């Protein structure tokens, strides 16, 4: 009943629960000959938790990755790669009072019904933001693989609640500034405003949502398999696998419905002998294939559901209406933590499509 694997050539299978011993992934189909160490993965995991602790859940784990297979003499062998991240800071007692009281906005109710009451409810079980540590680990390998072909994936926070960056930033600024603040926003002035919004929501026992923007540079033309495994449908599928994602758009996205064809069309020009477009309203995708322009995808995250404010809900075993204010340790906004997750998920999907398209070979020659 669960669906735990994604990809056809670079197949990522995830496992584990929020309060179990580990979360992890197995990657089947990573080409042989990729130089890979734990450090290559660890540096992305270290980015998942922003430096300022007040803006994220009080759950603290070092998130150390352990490689169990698929690497020999510091290179991938072509065999499945299994990665574990131990859960070390687990407080399951926080969830005992809520065993039968379903959190409004979380997955507790449908999971309880679908799995006959057997699903692990502690910390959201398998449907927890904690699973994203495993996604980041798999994404790190995909990014290392893509980087050997010059493909660079970069994500950052573009809005939190109503505080937004109004244009796509220069990529050099994104590289330099995104990790400098706990909001993961490349504009420090806007980042501070976002931070205030998050702290205010938290102090009021509430939460806020926002948008992560992700740009991929140097993607060759023609990545994506029309019709049903188009680059946009594959990315949408993997990105909707991230908990709390409520929307995915490419380029001008929903805004393009307000443009005329003459405004929305990206006109072709030749620049330094290369075919390019003057604008990038398509977000680098046409007909489900990459155009060679930067791939631009935006991912909308809802405000996380576990809030201290009391809300109406139901005790499902007593069949009684009640009220719940969620105690425990929760993120007042998931967006900063989601930045490396989006980056990793986009990389996983692109690695899969590039292997399928023959743009990445099965054996990498050094
Ligand atoms: C990085 C990350 C951290 C999250 N942390 C929390 C959290 O602390 N509390 C919470 O209620 N939801 C959190 N979520 C969101 C829930 O896991 C998610 O809302 C829930 O599984 C229901 O799924 P849905 O929102 O996609 O419908 C987090 C999501 C992500 C991506």
């Amino acid at each position: 009943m669960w669906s735990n694997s994604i990809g056809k050539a670079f197949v990522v299978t995830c496992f584990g629960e929020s309060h179990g011993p580990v979360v992890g992934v197995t990657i089947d189909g990573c080409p042989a000959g990729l130089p890979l160490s734990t450090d290559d993965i660890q540096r992305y995991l270290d980015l998942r938790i922003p430096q300022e602790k007040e803006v994220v859940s009080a759950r603290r784990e070092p998130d150390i990755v352990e490689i169990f297979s698929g690497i020999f003499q510091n290179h991938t062998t072509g065999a499945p790669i299994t990665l574990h991240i131990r859960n070390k800071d687990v407080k399951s007692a926080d969830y005992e009072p809520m065993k039968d009281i379903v959190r409004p906005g979380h997955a507790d109710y449908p999971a309880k019904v679908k799995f006959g009451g057997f699903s692990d409810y502690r910390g959201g079980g398998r449907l927890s933001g904690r699973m994203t540590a495993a996604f980041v680990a798999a994404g790190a390998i995909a990014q290392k693989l893509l980087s050997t072909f010059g493909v660079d994936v970069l994500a950052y926070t573009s809005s939190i609640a109503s505080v937004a960056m109004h244009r796509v930033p220069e990529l050099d600024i994104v590289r330099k500034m995104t990790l400098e603040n706990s909001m993961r926003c490349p504009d420090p002035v806007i980042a501070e405003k976002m931070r205030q919004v998050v702290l205010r929501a938290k102090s009021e026992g509430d939460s806020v949502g926002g948008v992560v923007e992700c740009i991929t540079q140097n993607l060759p033309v023609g990545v994506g398999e029309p019709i049903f495994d188009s680059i946009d449908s594959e990315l949408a599928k993997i990105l909707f696998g991230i908990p709390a994602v409520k929307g995915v758009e490419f380029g001008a996205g929903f805004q393009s419905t307000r443009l005329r064809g003459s405004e929305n069309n990206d006109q072709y020009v030749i620049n330094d002998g290369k075919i390019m477009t003057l604008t990038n309203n398509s977000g680098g995708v046409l007909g489900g294939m990459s155009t060679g322009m930067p791939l631009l995808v935006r991912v909308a995250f809802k405000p996380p559901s576990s809030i201290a404010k009391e809300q109406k809900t139901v005790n499902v075993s007593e069949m009684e209406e009640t009220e719940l204010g969620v105690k425990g340790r929760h993120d007042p906004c998931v967006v900063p933590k989601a930045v490396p997750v989006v980056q990793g998920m986009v990389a996983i999907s692109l690695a899969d499509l590039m292997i399928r398209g023959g743009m990445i070979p099965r054996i990498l020659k050094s």
Side-chain angles (χ1 to χ4, degrees):
M1 283 193 284
W2 292 92
S3 171
N4 304 303
S5 302
I6 192 143
K8 287 189 178 159
F10 188 89
V11 185
V12 174
T13 302
C14 65
F15 51 85
E17 289 86 14
S18 178
H19 288 212
V22 297
V23 292
V25 277
T26 294
I27 299 152
D28 198 2
C30 185
L34 178 71
L36 196 72
S37 67
T38 42
D39 285 353
D40 290 323
I41 304 166
Q42 192 60 49
R43 72 188 179 93
Y44 286 96
L45 275 172
D46 292 345
L47 299 180
R48 209 179 68 93
I49 312 293
Q51 49 274 55
E52 190 188 359
K53 306 302 174 211
E54 283 67 36
V55 296
V56 286
S57 143
R59 185 170 169 174
R60 296 281 171 268
E61 276 135 316
D63 281 356
I64 303 296
V65 69
E66 295 168 64
I67 302 178
F68 282 91
S69 64
I71 313 287
F72 180 58
Q73 295 177 336
N74 303 318
H75 287 76
T76 54
T77 61
I81 303 168
T82 293
L83 309 175
H84 281 195
I85 302 152
R86 288 182 203 273
N87 296 322
K88 293 217 162 129
D89 185 14
V90 168
K91 273 198 188 168
S92 301
D94 284 345
Y95 290 85
E96 259 337 276
M98 298 185 316
K99 193 155 63 72
D100 299 313
I101 303 175
V102 291
R103 285 173 293 176
H106 213 290
D108 305 344
Y109 175 60
K112 214 176 225 325
V113 174
K114 182 173 173 76
F115 299 106
F118 288 102
S119 59
D120 184 348
Y121 55 83
R122 300 164 307 159
R126 196 135 169 71
L127 298 162
S128 162
R130 176 83 192 135
M131 286 311 304
T132 62
F135 301 163
V136 169
I141 299 182
Q143 284 174 86
K144 180 94 197 251
L145 179 60
L146 292 176
S147 72
T148 59
F149 293 86
V151 177
D152 194 10
V153 188
L154 280 172
Y156 51 89
T157 302
S158 79
S159 72
I160 288 182
S162 59
V163 182
M165 293 209 304
H166 290 296
R167 62 175 65 87
V168 175
E170 297 286 322
L171 286 183
D172 284 347
I173 306 263
V174 174
R175 274 191 203 96
K176 212 159 40 185
M177 302 301 291
T178 302
L179 300 175
E180 292 296 308
N181 61 70
S182 53
M183 292 296 108
R184 306 308 196 209
C185 173
D187 183 322
V189 176
I190 293 176
E192 180 51 29
K193 289 186 187 155
M194 290 173 169
R195 180 176 166 271
Q196 294 302 333
V197 167
V198 173
L199 291 175
R200 194 173 334 124
K202 185 182 172 184
S203 72
E204 292 166 1
D206 221 325
S207 64
V208 282
V211 175
V212 174
E213 216 157 71
C214 184
I215 302 179
T216 304
Q217 264 194 313
N218 302 328
L219 207 55
V221 180
V223 178
E225 306 296 316
I227 291 173
F228 293 120
D229 290 350
S230 64
I231 191 166
D232 31 5
S233 44
E234 291 289 88
L235 283 172
K237 177 159 189 174
I238 197 165
L239 290 167
F240 273 111
I242 305 173
V245 169
K246 283 288 152 188
V248 172
E249 69 171 12
F250 294 85
F254 277 58
Q255 188 61 29
S256 65
T257 60
R258 298 183 192 171
L259 301 177
R260 289 195 159 195
S262 56
E263 297 167 308
N264 189 52
N265 287 346
D266 298 313
Q267 301 179 54
Y268 288 106
V269 290
I270 297 173
N271 200 339
D272 278 341
K274 256 185 84 182
I275 297 176
M276 299 181 69
T277 57
L278 288 175
T279 50
N280 191 19
N281 290 321
S282 74
V285 185
L286 288 172
M289 297 165 285
S290 55
T291 63
M293 290 298 284
L295 178 74
L296 174 63
V297 57
R298 276 186 213 92
V299 189
F301 286 86
K302 74 181 193 186
S305 57
S306 306
I307 53 172
K309 250 187 191 163
E310 297 257 313
Q311 293 195 296
K312 277 173 84 75
T313 187
V314 165
N315 180 320
V316 291
S317 65
E318 307 285 331
M319 267 314 263
E320 244 173 36
E321 287 188 5
T322 180
E323 298 232 318
L324 176 69
V326 181
K327 307 288 177 286
R329 303 165 303 164
H330 294 283
D331 294 302
C333 179
V334 305
V335 172
K337 271 190 186 173
V339 165
V341 183
V342 167
Q343 196 171 295
M345 290 301 231
V346 167
I348 291 169
S349 207
L350 294 179
D352 182 55
L353 287 172
M354 284 182 70
I355 296 170
R356 288 167 66 188
M359 294 146 181
I360 296 181
R362 292 291 187 176
I363 301 169
L364 306 177
K365 300 262 159 43
S366 48

